[in-house]
Amino acid sequence: MRLLVSTTLAALMVASNHDAQAQALLGLPEVKCVTFIELIDANDPFAGTVQAWMLGYASGLNAMWKDLKGTDRLSRAQTAATRYAVTFCRSNPDKTVLSAMNEYFFSLPQ
């Protein structure tokens, strides 16, 4: 019985690790800027999904930053992040929305 439980837990860990890796490679962070701009320009509702991911990612970075440094970097309105991402992506169509959010977050005053 213990062997069955151990084997099942090991299989679940491998499966969940596999899903996490697939999400990191295939999820919203990998959306190219050119695609994001096309979605924005076309008023495609999926652009809102990408924007929601970007804001969530920036919020997660901010929470980590607050834990490590004790300061809040996201004192601006969320529209600033979206404007930054659109401007960044128009200038860098081959980059990803992940890189746009990293550039935005780390450009904020400490």
Side-chain angles (χ1 to χ4, degrees), residues 1-91:
M1 180 64 148
R2 202 181 318 196
L3 178 60
L4 177 61
V5 171
S6 297
T7 304
T8 303
L9 286 175
L12 287 173
M13 288 172 48
V14 168
S16 68
N17 186 36
H18 174 71
D19 289 344
Q21 290 173 354
Q23 187 175 23
L25 295 173
L26 302 174
L28 290 176
E30 295 301 313
V31 170
K32 292 284 188 187
C33 278
V34 66
T35 303
F36 174 60
I37 293 302
E38 288 170 354
L39 293 169
I40 292 286
D41 290 346
N43 272 341
D44 189 305
F46 188 64
T49 301
V50 176
Q51 289 170 319
W53 176 86
M54 291 189 302
L55 294 173
Y57 177 76
S59 294
L61 279 178
N62 194 51
M64 182 181 68
W65 187 266
K66 283 172 68 173
D67 284 348
L68 293 173
K69 303 288 186 176
T71 57
D72 185 351
R73 294 185 85 168
L74 290 180
S75 58
R76 297 182 187 184
Q78 67 184 23
T79 55
T82 300
R83 279 195 308 268
Y84 187 97
V86 169
T87 301
F88 176 89
C89 282
R90 286 195 191 282
S91 299

